[in-house]
Amino acid sequence: MRVTNNILFDTVDRANALSTERLVAASRVASDGVRVVKPSDDPAAFATIVDDDARLAVLASRSKTIGRVTAELQTAETTLASAGELLIHARELSLQASNGTLDASSRAVIGVEISQIRSALLSMANTRGSNGYIFGGTRTDTPPFDPTGAFVGNDNAMTLEIATGVTLRVNPSGARAFTPAGGRDVFADLDALATALGSNDLVGINTSLDTLDADHRQVLSTRVDVGLTCERLSSSTDVTDTAVEVLRTARAQLSEADIVGAYSNLAQAQSAYERGVQVSKTILSVSSVNRG
Amino acid sequence: VVAPTTGSIGVRTNEFFASMNALSASPTDDASRADVVAKAGSLAQAFNDASAGLTQTRVDLLSRAQSVAGEVNDKLSRIATLNKAIIEATSLGNPAADLRDQRDVLVGDVSDRIGARSIEDKDGSVTVFAAGMTLVERLQAVTLSVAPDSTGALKIQATRPGGSATDITANVTSGTLGGLREARDADIPAVTSRLDQLANDIATAVNTVHATGVGLDGVSGRPLFAPPTGVPGAAATLAVDAAILGHPERIGASPNVGSLPGGNQVAVQLAQLAGAALGSGTTTPAQRYGSITGDFGITKASADSDLQMRRDTVSTAKTLQESASGVSLDEEMVNMTRFQRAFEASTRVLKTADELLAGLMQML
C-alpha cells in the first residue's frame, strides 16, 4: 500500500488524539481515585452503586433513629429502676409500720413519708424525654398521670423498623408499669397504705405488704421489657453496622479505583503519550523533501 | 442531567426516606416534620430539574438539527451550482478538475450530515440521493426544513423548487441529522417517560400511605405530594402538596386520632417504602432509578463505542482512498529526481550529438 503524506499525518493525528484521551482519563482516575463517576463509565456498576447508596442511606438512618430511641429508653429504664427502689422503700416502711409495738402517731408519721414517696413516684411516672412524656404511650404531650394518680395517657405503641420488615415497640408502657393494665394500680395501692397508716389500720397495713410486692414486680417487669428492647436495639445496631461495613466495601470495590493500578495506568498512559509525540516528531521529520 | 454528581434523584430519594425514618423516631418534633417537607420538596425539585434538563436538551437538539439542515441546504445549492459549471466546462472539453474536487468535498459534507450517496452522470453532473429521495439533480437542489410536528417530534421535509414538501422524517436514519433525530425523539423521550413513571409511582405510593395517616391537627386523607394528573409530565410537575407546604404539622405520621401526637406507624410505613417494590413492579425506587441511569449509561457507552468503530472505519476507508489517489511527496520526489536524471541524460546525449556534429562540420 502506498503511504501518502496525508495518510501519515492522519495516522499521527489519530494516534496522538487516542493517547491524549487515554492520558486525560488515567489522570482523572488517579487524581480523584474514583473509577465510576457517571453511568457511562460502567453502567452495570453505576446501577448497583445507586442501589447500594439507597441501602446505605436506609441503614445509616436506621442506626441514627435507633440511637435516639435507645437514649429515650435508657431514661425510662433508669426511671423505672428508681421507681422500683421507691416501692421497696415503701414496703420497708410498711413492714416497719406493721410492727404491733408502734403507736398511731408513729404510723401517721410513716404515712406522711408514704405520701411523699407517692408524690416522687408520680413525678417519675410523668418523666419527660426528648419526645415528650415517656410513659404516656403515644399521648406524649400531656402528663400521663394526673395529681390523683389517674392514668390519662394511652398504651398505644410507637414502633420502629429495626431490620428490613421487622418492627419493634420502642416506647415503654406506663400503663403496664403503674396501672391496673399491668395488674395493680400502684398509686391507688400507695394511697390505700397512706390511708391505713393515717387511720392506724393494721389490717390495711398488712395487706399493703402484698400489694407493694406486686407493685414492685409490676414495675420491675416493665423495666425488664425496656431492658430487653434496649438489647434488641443494640443487637440491631450491631447488625446494621456490620451491614454498613459490608455494603461500603462492596460499593468501594465497584466505584473506587485501585490506587496502585490507577497510578500504573497513568504512568503507562504518560509513557505512551511521550512515545507517541516522539514517534510523531521522527516520522514527520523523515522526508526526502526535507533533505533536498 | 439524569445522574448529576450532586443532588441526583437517587440522592434526594434516599434523603427523603431517611427524613421520614427520622420522623418515625420523633413524630412530635417540629424540626423533623419540617425536614420531611423540605426533603420532599428537594426530591420533587430533582425530578423537575431532570425533566427540565431533558426538555432543554430536546430544544437544543431541535435547534442543532435546524442548523444542520441549513448547512445541508447551502451545500446542496452549491453542488447544483457546481454541477452547472462542470456541465458547461465538460461540454467544452475541459475536465474541470478543480470544480469536481470542490463538489466532491461538498458531497462528502452532505453525506456526513444526512448519509447521502452520489452518482456522476455522463454530462459531468452528480445526482445526490439521501433519505429515499433525490436531493440534487443536475441544476436543481431540494430544500430541507426541520420543525417540530404536532406531537413535538422532529419533522424533516424536503421541498423541490416549485414543488410541494415531502415528509422524509422516517427515512432520515443516518448522518448527523439521523443521529440528532434518534437522540431527540427516541432516546430522550424514553428516559423522560421512565422518569415520569418513577415520579408518578413514588408520589402515588407515598400519597397512598400518607393518606392513612393523621396529622397533628387530627385530619387524615391528605396527600404528601400533589397528586399527579397522569404519568406523562409527572416528573416535570412533581411538587409537595399545597396543603402540606408550610404546614409540617399536617404530615400524617400517626395511624389514628387516638394515637396522636406520638403515633408514628404511618411514618414507619412511609420510611419502609424505600425498600419496597414500587407500583406494580418488583423493584425499589433506588433500583428503578439505577436501572434508568444504567440503561442510559449503556446507551451512551454503546454510542461512544459505535462512534469509535465508525471513526476507525472512516479512517481505513480514507487510508485506502488516499493510497489510491493521494500523493506521496517522497514518491514524487524520487520520480522527479528520476525524470530529472533522464532529462539530464537526454540533454547529455543531445550535447554529445551536437559536439559530434560540430566536430564533423569542422572536419568538412
Side-chain angles (χ1 to χ4, degrees):
Chain A
M1 188 180 80
R2 287 173 67 244
V3 178
T4 66
N5 288 72
N6 278 344
I7 293 176
L8 213 55
F9 293 140
D10 283 350
T11 306
V12 167
D13 187 34
R14 286 188 60 234
N16 281 343
L18 283 174
S19 62
T20 307
E21 202 174 308
R22 193 178 155 200
L23 181 64
V24 169
S27 307
R28 186 190 62 72
V29 174
S31 61
D32 60 19
V34 180
R35 189 179 68 86
V36 182
V37 176
K38 51 189 189 301
S40 57
D41 290 338
D42 186 340
F46 192 87
T48 309
I49 289 167
V50 168
D51 191 29
D52 285 349
D53 282 346
R55 288 168 198 264
L56 279 168
V58 167
L59 292 172
S61 163
R62 185 180 293 159
S63 192
K64 206 183 282 182
T65 52
I66 286 177
R68 188 165 180 175
V69 164
T70 301
E72 198 89 341
L73 282 172
Q74 282 165 347
T75 305
E77 195 182 7
T78 309
T79 306
L80 289 169
S82 302
E85 282 168 17
L86 280 180
L87 287 169
I88 288 171
H89 185 48
R91 190 182 181 284
E92 285 168 356
L93 290 173
S94 176
L95 188 64
Q96 188 185 332
S98 67
N99 189 334
T101 60
L102 242 62
D103 59 14
S105 63
S106 299
R107 287 196 178 105
V109 169
I110 292 174
V112 170
E113 202 172 339
I114 290 295
S115 295
Q116 286 168 349
I117 286 174
R118 179 194 177 281
S119 294
L121 199 65
L122 186 67
S123 173
M124 284 178 184
N126 284 334
T127 298
R128 280 184 70 100
S130 60
N131 274 338
Y133 292 95
I134 291 179
F135 296 106
T138 56
R139 191 165 179 192
T140 52
D141 55 341
T142 52
F145 295 90
D146 70 12
T148 68
F151 184 59
V152 293
N154 62 39
D155 196 21
N156 294 342
M158 186 176 162
T159 57
L160 208 63
E161 186 178 49
I162 58 166
T164 305
V166 181
T167 53
L168 179 71
R169 174 173 181 156
V170 291
N171 57 336
S173 172
R176 273 180 281 161
F178 302 108
T179 77
R184 305 267 340 149
D185 185 336
V186 175
F187 295 107
D189 289 344
L190 286 172
D191 283 340
L193 174 59
T195 306
L197 287 166
S199 60
N200 200 23
D201 172 9
L202 202 54
V203 176
I205 293 168
N206 283 332
T207 305
S208 73
L209 287 173
D210 292 335
T211 58
L212 286 176
D213 267 343
D215 290 340
H216 179 248
R217 280 197 302 275
Q218 186 171 314
V219 169
L220 189 64
S221 168
T222 306
R223 185 189 166 194
V224 168
D225 285 346
V226 171
L228 286 173
T229 305
C230 282
E231 260 187 49
R232 283 197 68 183
L233 291 177
S234 170
S235 95
S236 172
T237 303
D238 292 344
V239 171
T240 303
D241 290 347
T242 307
V244 165
E245 278 310 305
V246 170
L247 264 177
R248 276 196 182 139
T249 306
R251 189 194 185 287
Q253 281 171 351
L254 277 176
S255 69
E256 290 174 16
D258 161 34
I259 295 299
V260 177
Y263 275 103
S264 170
N265 283 342
L266 177 61
Q268 280 178 18
Q270 190 175 354
S271 170
Y273 177 78
E274 284 166 0
R275 279 199 311 272
V277 170
Q278 195 58 44
V279 167
S280 307
K281 206 171 156 187
T282 307
I283 285 179
L284 296 180
S285 66
V286 175
S287 169
S288 49
V289 180
N290 293 339
R291 296 181 188 281
Chain B
V1 171
V2 179
T5 48
T6 55
S8 69
I9 290 170
V11 170
R12 297 300 184 219
T13 305
N14 296 342
E15 289 173 352
F16 169 68
F17 287 120
S19 73
M20 200 55 90
N21 197 34
L23 175 67
S24 72
S26 314
T28 56
D29 182 30
D30 292 341
S32 296
R33 285 178 170 271
D35 194 41
V36 168
V37 176
K39 293 299 190 306
S42 297
L43 173 58
Q45 190 63 48
F47 271 108
N48 301 161
D49 289 348
S51 182
L54 290 171
T55 303
Q56 185 57 48
T57 305
R58 290 194 78 202
V59 170
D60 294 345
L61 290 178
L62 168 64
S63 166
R64 209 170 141 205
Q66 287 169 329
S67 299
V68 170
E71 286 172 21
V72 170
N73 288 338
D74 173 56
K75 289 175 195 303
L76 293 177
S77 158
R78 285 162 62 191
I79 290 170
T81 307
L82 283 167
N83 267 349
K84 184 181 178 206
I86 290 166
I87 290 169
E88 286 169 3
T90 306
S91 67
L92 296 172
N94 180 353
D98 286 351
L99 297 177
R100 285 170 192 270
D101 283 350
Q102 285 180 41
R103 191 180 63 186
D104 287 349
V105 170
L106 290 170
V107 169
D109 288 348
V110 170
S111 186
D112 267 357
R113 286 158 178 76
I114 197 169
R117 290 167 184 237
S118 64
I119 295 174
E120 184 164 335
D121 295 331
K122 284 179 185 169
D123 61 3
S125 68
V126 289
T127 304
V128 182
F129 307 93
M133 78 174 296
T134 307
L135 300 183
V136 179
E137 188 171 15
R138 301 191 83 239
L139 315 186
Q140 290 200 329
V142 303
T143 305
L144 299 183
S145 64
V146 176
D149 67 10
S150 58
T151 66
L154 277 189
K155 185 173 183 180
I156 305 171
Q157 291 184 305
T159 311
R160 292 179 195 282
S164 59
T166 307
D167 188 347
I168 58 167
T169 311
N171 297 327
V172 179
T173 55
S174 57
T176 310
L177 213 48
L180 289 171
R181 182 178 157 248
E182 187 181 342
R184 185 186 183 276
D185 293 340
D187 296 340
I188 293 179
V191 176
T192 303
S193 164
R194 290 178 72 184
L195 280 182
D196 282 341
Q197 189 68 55
L198 179 61
N200 178 74
D201 289 354
I202 288 179
T204 305
V206 168
N207 285 349
T208 303
V209 177
H210 187 263
T212 66
V214 181
L216 291 178
D217 57 356
V219 177
S220 66
R222 289 193 182 111
L224 180 54
F225 290 106
T229 52
V231 175
T237 57
L238 187 67
V240 176
D241 192 71
I244 298 290
L245 267 181
H247 293 284
E249 75 282 1
R250 293 181 179 172
I251 291 172
S254 175
N256 49 55
V257 176
S259 290
L260 288 174
N264 74 335
Q265 277 142 338
V266 174
V268 171
Q269 288 169 24
L270 285 166
Q272 284 176 324
L273 290 176
L278 201 56
S280 55
T282 55
T283 51
T284 65
Q287 286 166 342
R288 185 90 77 83
Y289 174 67
S291 167
I292 294 171
T293 53
D295 289 351
F296 202 57
I298 289 170
T299 305
K300 167 79 167 53
S302 162
D304 285 345
S305 159
D306 202 30
L307 173 68
Q308 190 56 48
M309 191 193 75
R310 283 168 194 272
R311 274 183 182 158
D312 289 345
T313 307
V314 168
S315 171
T316 305
K318 267 188 178 171
T319 301
L320 289 172
Q321 187 196 30
E322 267 295 319
S323 182
S325 65
V327 171
S328 163
L329 290 182
D330 288 344
E331 195 179 300
E332 299 307 324
M333 198 67 174
V334 168
N335 283 338
M336 198 172 79
T337 307
R338 183 191 300 148
F339 296 137
Q340 191 178 350
R341 294 285 175 266
F343 178 76
E344 284 171 6
S346 64
T347 309
R348 182 62 61 89
V349 168
L350 277 174
K351 193 177 171 189
T352 305
D354 183 46
E355 284 170 2
L356 284 172
L357 281 172
L360 187 62
M361 293 299 288
Q362 280 176 359
M363 278 189 262
L364 291 173

